[in-house]
Each structure stands twice: as structure tokens, then as C-alpha cells.
Amino acid sequence: MSWYLLLLAGLFEIGWAVGLEYSDGLTKPWPTLGTVVSLVISMVLLAQAVKDLPVGTAYAVWTGVGAVGTASLGIVLFDEPATLARVACIGVIVVGIVGLHLASGSH
């Protein structure tokens, strides 16, 4: 269950990171509210996950999911470059996330 909570925490991390763009420096009330709510939910879920998972593993996976999702949405939503090198590096992060899950022995 902790891995599902951790994945969900990572998805909410993507939400608050992308929300920063939409909030225009936290100056737009509704996007700012969504950003803050996503941030709080992400932290609460991460805190629940680290009850059963090592904090180093959980933090690495949480930030990795957030980085992959935010970079991918940056490409799709904000017309950020999708160069081969950039996509390959995002792929390396995915491999790291999967590797940490497999190395944890709780799959």
C-alpha cells in the first residue's frame, strides 16, 4: 500500500509543480489554491508512505515521479523542447524509479 501512496504523492507533486506555472508566481487565486492543496496532499501522502518505506527510497521515488511528470507535461503543455537527450534523461529517471521499487523487494 505504501508504494501506491508514494505514487499518488508523486502525482500530486506534479500537480503543484505544474500549478506554479499556472499560478503566475502565486498571483492568481484559483491556480494558487490548487497548487497549495496539491502540495499539502503530496506531503501528507509522502509522510504516510515513509511510515513503511525507507525515507531515502521514498524521497528519491517521489521526486523522480514528480520530475518525470513535470518535465513531460512541460513538453506537452508548455512547448518545452523534446530533444532526444532530454527524453533519454527522463527515461533514465524512470529506470531509476523502477529499479528502486524492484530493489526494495516489496513488489
Side-chain angles (χ1 to χ4, degrees):
M1 185 64 162
S2 295
W3 280 97
Y4 294 113
L5 292 174
L6 185 57
L7 178 61
L8 193 56
L11 294 175
F12 276 99
E13 183 187 7
I14 296 165
W16 71 257
V18 170
L20 289 174
E21 180 73 21
Y22 286 112
S23 74
D24 195 28
L26 303 178
T27 61
K28 295 180 178 175
W30 290 113
T32 296
L33 178 62
T35 299
V36 171
V37 168
S38 291
L39 175 61
V40 169
I41 292 170
S42 181
M43 288 291 167
V44 168
L45 291 169
L46 176 61
Q48 293 302 308
V50 298
K51 287 182 178 179
D52 296 318
L53 298 173
V55 69
T57 299
Y59 185 75
V61 170
W62 178 70
T63 58
V65 169
V68 167
T70 303
S72 299
L73 286 177
I75 292 168
V76 172
L77 298 175
F78 308 123
D79 202 31
E80 295 177 4
T83 63
L84 179 60
R86 189 167 189 214
V87 172
C89 289
I90 292 169
V92 169
I93 297 170
V94 171
V95 169
I97 293 167
V98 172
L100 285 169
H101 178 64
L102 293 175
S104 75
S106 62
H107 47 279

